[in-house]
Amino acid sequence: EQHHTHTMMKKQLVPLLISLLSSTSAFVLPHKVERCSRTTTTTLKAQIEESSSLAKRRTFLKYAGIATGWTLSTKISFAEDGVNYKAVADDIEALVKSDPDKGPTLVRLAWHSSGTYDKMSKTGGSGGGTIRFKEELVHGGNAGLADTAVKWMEELKAKYGDGLSYADLYTLSGVAAIHAMGGPQIPWCSGRVDQPVEAVTADGRLPNADVGKPGADKSDADHLRTIFYRMGFNDQEIVALSGAHALGRCHTTASGYDGRIL
C-alpha cells in the first residue's frame, strides 16, 4: 500500500514539477500561445481541450498551494512570422511518441536552455537560443545534449526555416515533450530572437549533480540555493524542479550517474 501511495504521488507530482518551469522569466510561458511581449503584442491564440485528468491535476495543485493558473481553450493558428507552431509541436510530439526515451532529454534541453538565467543582470536564459553553440554545449551541465536533443531538433529547424528561431524551438520542445508523455499542455509563447555566440554565459550557472560527499550533504543544498536563487526561485520551487529528474533516468554520459532517480 505504501508503494502504491508513493507511485500515485509521483504521478501527480510530475505535472506539478514541470508546470513550475512557467514561473521563471527565463522560460517565458504566458497563459496563451502568443508572441512574446518583448518583440510584439500580436496574439497567436492557442487553446487546448481540457481533460478530466487535467482537472484532477488542477485540484492537486490547488491543495498544494502553488497552482499556476493555466488558461485553456480550443484551436491554434499561424503566427505572423509564418510559422505554424502547432505543426512544429505536433512534429516534436510524434518524435517523442516514436521513441519515448527522447521525451525526458528534450525536457532537459528546454530546462538547461533556461537554467542559465540571471534575474539581476538579465543575462542568460532561453531567450537567445545560445545552447545551440558549441561554446555552451561544452559546459559540464550540458554533457550529452549536443549528440542527442540538439541534433534531433536540427531536422525540424531545417524544415521550418528561418522563421522558427532556435530559442522558440528548444523551449517548445520541452512543452511538446511533456504533453506527449501524458503531462499537461503548458502555456507557451513564440517570438524569441536568436542571439550571437557572444551572448553565451560562463560555465557554472547550471546545478551540479553533487558538490559534497556522496549522499545528503549541506554543501549540496547550499549549491542548489545559489543556483536557483539567482534565477528567482524559492526553496519550494527548488525542491519541485529538482524532483523533475524523476522523468527518464541518469546517464553516465551526462551526469556521471546511471539508473533511475526514485
Side-chain angles (χ1 to χ4, degrees), residues 68-200:
T68 55
W70 304 322
T71 301
L72 306 171
S73 52
T74 58
K75 294 183 181 178
I76 192 165
S77 60
F78 285 83
E80 284 193 350
D81 55 21
V83 178
N84 183 348
Y85 290 98
K86 176 64 166 58
V88 179
D90 287 346
D91 282 349
I92 296 169
E93 290 200 28
L95 180 68
V96 174
K97 289 176 181 177
S98 68
D99 183 356
D101 287 342
K102 291 183 176 179
T105 308
L106 289 174
V107 173
R108 181 172 175 241
L109 172 64
W111 169 237
H112 283 218
S113 175
S114 307
T116 58
Y117 182 67
D118 185 305
K119 69 175 183 178
M120 298 302 293
S121 65
K122 307 299 182 186
T123 58
S126 61
T130 56
I131 200 171
R132 72 190 187 276
F133 293 119
K134 65 180 188 300
E135 287 82 358
E136 187 165 332
L137 285 169
V138 297
H139 292 178
N142 292 328
L145 284 176
D147 296 326
T148 55
V150 170
K151 185 176 181 179
W152 303 334
M153 291 298 98
E154 278 301 314
E155 184 176 341
L156 292 183
K157 182 66 173 70
K159 177 179 178 178
Y160 291 97
D162 293 339
L164 174 64
S165 69
Y166 280 102
D168 278 346
L169 177 60
Y170 294 156
T171 54
L172 184 55
S173 73
V175 170
I178 290 299
H179 190 248
M181 292 186 289
Q185 180 73 48
I186 301 175
W188 178 85
C189 73
S190 65
R192 297 168 187 80
V193 178
D194 289 335
Q195 298 300 312
V197 67
E198 288 77 16
V200 172

Side-chain angles (χ1 to χ4, degrees), residues 24 52 115 136 141 153 168 234 238:
T24 174
S52 59
E136 187 165 332
M153 291 298 98
D168 278 346
N234 60 35
I238 292 173

Side-chain angles (χ1 to χ4, degrees), residues 13 16-18 20-21 111 207-209 220-221 223-225 227-228 231 233-247 250 261-262:
L13 278 170
L16 166 61
L17 303 176
I18 305 306
L20 282 175
L21 283 172
W111 169 237
N208 298 320
D220 288 334
H223 171 66
L224 285 177
R225 285 193 171 101
I227 295 294
F228 283 88
M231 289 182 270
F233 288 109
N234 60 35
D235 283 359
Q236 185 181 46
E237 292 166 330
I238 292 173
V239 172
L241 284 168
S242 297
H245 286 93
L247 284 172
C250 299
I261 297 178
L262 302 175

